[in-house]
Amino acid sequence: TTFGLGDFYVSPLIMRHTIFEDEPVIPVAFFVHERKFEAHHATFFKILLDKVPQIGSKNVVFITDWEESLVNAASLYLPHAKFLFCWNHLITDFKRWLKDKRNGILTNGVSEYVSDLYRILHHNDPDTSDEKCDVSAAWPIGLREYFLQAHVC
């Protein structure tokens, strides 16, 4: 997530340190910038890769708010990285999409679809990972298409 702080933005990069028993989340770097331009993010990832080459490994996962300029820039320097959508942003965007009258979802169905989304997000059985998105099969086509574009499944 990028935080707007007055006339500038701060994008923190944090990591889960799995070498420790409690797997604490610690800051790795903070990117302070004036604009959310892809070129600025690219410079950040170029420097980061130069200073921490291990970040270029194939098993690095980034959880983002899916800010397009950030994901595009990171993909240039970290082509093997995987990007996932932050749950908070995913849920907020999902609710916003559901409540947008142009999408044709009836108001009384919103809570059911949000409950389905929580069930999908909390599904963590690797043996049935292909089945986690089956709950969306009964959703209206527009909602299914939106959901699948959100990179959840």
Side-chain angles (χ1 to χ4, degrees):
T1 299
T2 298
F3 299 97
L5 301 174
D7 293 339
F8 61 95
Y9 298 96
V10 176
S11 299
L13 178 62
I14 58 175
M15 66 173 265
R16 181 171 306 280
H17 208 308
T18 58
I19 197 168
F20 295 109
E21 185 175 319
D22 292 337
E23 297 186 352
V25 174
I26 61 169
V28 174
F30 293 94
F31 177 44
V32 179
H33 48 109
E34 292 181 15
R35 302 272 192 265
K36 295 181 180 183
F37 292 153
E38 189 172 317
H40 296 167
H41 286 98
T43 301
F44 172 70
F45 283 104
K46 180 181 184 300
I47 292 168
L48 184 67
L49 186 59
D50 197 41
K51 300 291 182 191
V52 187
Q54 301 88 333
I55 206 163
S57 71
K58 291 184 181 185
N59 62 350
V60 174
V61 177
F62 288 90
I63 300 174
T64 75
D65 59 2
W66 216 255
E67 184 181 321
E68 190 174 357
S69 62
L70 185 146
V71 173
N72 289 344
S75 298
L76 288 173
Y77 289 95
L78 306 167
H80 301 294
K82 181 172 180 147
F83 296 90
L84 300 176
F85 211 145
C86 161
W87 282 16
N88 291 335
H89 289 90
L90 175 69
I91 292 165
T92 300
D93 289 353
F94 189 75
K95 288 177 181 177
R96 186 179 307 121
W97 191 94
L98 287 170
K99 292 176 182 176
D100 186 332
K101 302 284 186 234
R102 294 173 293 178
N103 295 320
I105 302 297
L106 299 176
T107 307
N108 60 352
V110 169
S111 61
E112 180 182 334
Y113 297 132
V114 172
S115 293
D116 288 346
L117 178 61
Y118 277 104
R119 234 185 342 272
I120 291 168
L121 292 175
H122 287 95
H123 181 96
N124 60 4
D125 182 354
D127 294 331
T128 60
S129 62
D130 291 340
E131 299 169 17
K132 81 176 188 177
C133 291
D134 285 349
V135 71
S136 69
W139 290 355
I141 188 77
L143 179 56
R144 282 197 310 267
E145 288 172 355
Y146 167 79
F147 175 74
L148 293 173
Q149 284 178 331
H151 308 281
V152 176
C153 298

